[in-house]
Amino acid sequence: MPYHRTGIALWLGVPCSEVTATVLCRRSGTIATGCSDGSIGLWKVPFDCSQSGEQQIHKQIHDSEDMLDDTSIQPFAILCGHHSEPISSLVCAVEGSAMREPGKEKNVLVSADLSSCMCVWSLEDGVCLRVCRTTLAWGPSTMVNVSCKGKTLIAAAGGSPDIEVVEVGRLR
């Protein structure tokens, strides 16, 4: 019989010492916050932000700040995998191609820290899918995702005059 580990985390307030990076993942309705201790907080957004404009999202977030009910933003996971290095950049992406593999698309978060370590996380359950400590020559300050010919690519910039492009599916 396989062994399954489960755990419960309870916290009051923000589970992070200092936020160093943020990103809104519209497709999954998640906000990710990178922290100075290398952890990443995932927060569920209780409203549909996939089609909302920036001003509407800011208003909904501001309106929910004082409520502790089903309409407020709630933390649901803390991701650990960067070994105490501050998170320098976060970006959301979709792995898989709807054209090549219908129904197999996965919402992921790509994180990078100051030591140039990159991690790919499932936004569905917070599982670390891949870690690579040798992909980048420096810790990026900005990352954007780009889809090209059915591949999910991340363009990383900062710390160098170069822009490095990484294929998320091949990140090792």
Side-chain angles (χ1 to χ4, degrees), residues 124-157:
E124 182 179 319
D125 54 17
V127 170
C128 184
L129 304 172
R130 287 181 291 291
V131 177
C132 184
R133 301 192 191 297
T134 59
T135 301
L136 300 174
W138 33 259
S141 58
T142 303
M143 294 190 298
V144 293
N145 91 53
V146 180
S147 293
C148 181
K149 296 182 181 181
K151 296 179 181 178
T152 302
L153 307 173
I154 301 296

Side-chain angles (χ1 to χ4, degrees), residues 78-96:
I78 297 176
L79 312 179
C80 299
H82 279 279
H83 304 290
S84 301
E85 288 291 331
I87 303 301
S88 61
S89 189
L90 299 167
V91 67
C92 301
V94 177
E95 268 193 325

Side-chain angles (χ1 to χ4, degrees), residues 18-87:
E18 179 185 352
V19 174
T20 56
T22 60
V23 68
L24 170 64
C25 303
R26 291 175 181 264
R27 286 177 53 114
S28 64
T30 306
I31 294 174
T33 54
C35 301
S36 60
D37 64 1
S39 65
I40 298 168
L42 295 183
W43 308 75
K44 273 296 176 199
V45 178
F47 49 84
D48 179 19
C49 57
S50 61
Q51 302 297 320
S52 301
E54 293 296 322
Q55 289 182 336
Q56 184 181 4
I57 292 170
H58 287 291
K59 181 181 181 337
Q60 288 173 307
I61 290 171
H62 183 271
D63 290 348
S64 72
E65 283 179 345
D66 297 326
M67 296 181 248
L68 290 176
D69 57 17
D70 290 342
T71 64
S72 62
I73 296 170
Q74 297 291 325
F76 76 92
I78 297 176
L79 312 179
C80 299
H82 279 279
H83 304 290
S84 301
E85 288 291 331
I87 303 301

Side-chain angles (χ1 to χ4, degrees), residues 91-114:
V91 67
C92 301
V94 177
E95 268 193 325
S97 168
M99 296 175 77
R100 288 187 303 177
E101 300 177 272
K104 300 267 186 176
E105 292 179 314
K106 180 181 283 192
N107 292 317
V108 297
L109 174 72
V110 180
S111 59
D113 66 27
L114 290 179

